[in-house]
Amino acid sequence: MTTAGRALRGRSVRDVLRTEMVTVVPEMTVYELAQTLLEASLRSAPVLSPMGRLVGVATLAEVTRLALREGLRPCAGPDNPHEPDGIGARPAGEPARCPPGVECLRVRDIMGPVGLTVSPDEPLSGLIHRFVQARVQRALVVENDMLLGLVTAVDVLNVIDGSL
């Protein structure tokens, strides 16, 4: 058995999953989504229903595609509703609101499918194969439709590295 195999033996996704993560909700505006992702230096975030169920993934790539394709108007707030691109200053902590007569795009309008999900009890050795097959570097950890956390290829590599 290889060193990597020994390091992963008996280890499951539950042993390495990250529980602290940024999530968003379907009703959030695309502008708020972009701000949230950029402030956290993320490319995507899981989308949770009001009941906490995983319903999709929202990506900065989709926001960018939308902006380039359709000229995104991301509604900035009530303090500057007439700015041409909809982006303006608003008081800290105040949610973005759509100016009267403007339909703001929401996360629900642009979110994509969930992608790779794994059980917290899945062996880490099996997860490596799933990462390779799906050509992804992260998986959302789900149990009973509820998001428990996420695990990345780097998390698995850290387990292997720690055993060397």
Side-chain angles (χ1 to χ4, degrees), residues 41-139:
S41 298
L42 296 173
R43 292 180 291 175
S44 64
V47 182
L48 302 181
S49 75
M51 299 301 292
R53 297 206 182 280
L54 180 63
V55 296
V57 172
T59 67
L60 200 51
E62 187 57 33
V63 172
T64 303
R65 265 192 294 280
L66 184 65
L68 293 173
R69 185 178 64 235
E70 298 180 18
L72 180 62
R73 293 182 47 102
C75 304
D79 55 317
N80 199 358
H82 301 295
E83 190 165 312
D85 64 356
I87 299 174
R90 62 184 161 89
E94 184 169 321
R97 292 192 188 100
C98 301
V102 174
E103 180 65 30
C104 284
L105 288 174
R106 306 276 175 186
V107 167
R108 70 171 179 262
D109 300 321
I110 68 160
M111 69 183 190
V114 171
L116 182 63
T117 62
V118 296
S119 160
D121 299 318
E122 180 166 337
L124 284 181
S125 57
L127 179 59
I128 291 172
H129 296 292
R130 294 186 64 193
F131 280 151
V132 172
Q133 287 175 336
R135 295 183 177 178
V136 298
Q137 295 180 13
R138 78 168 197 171

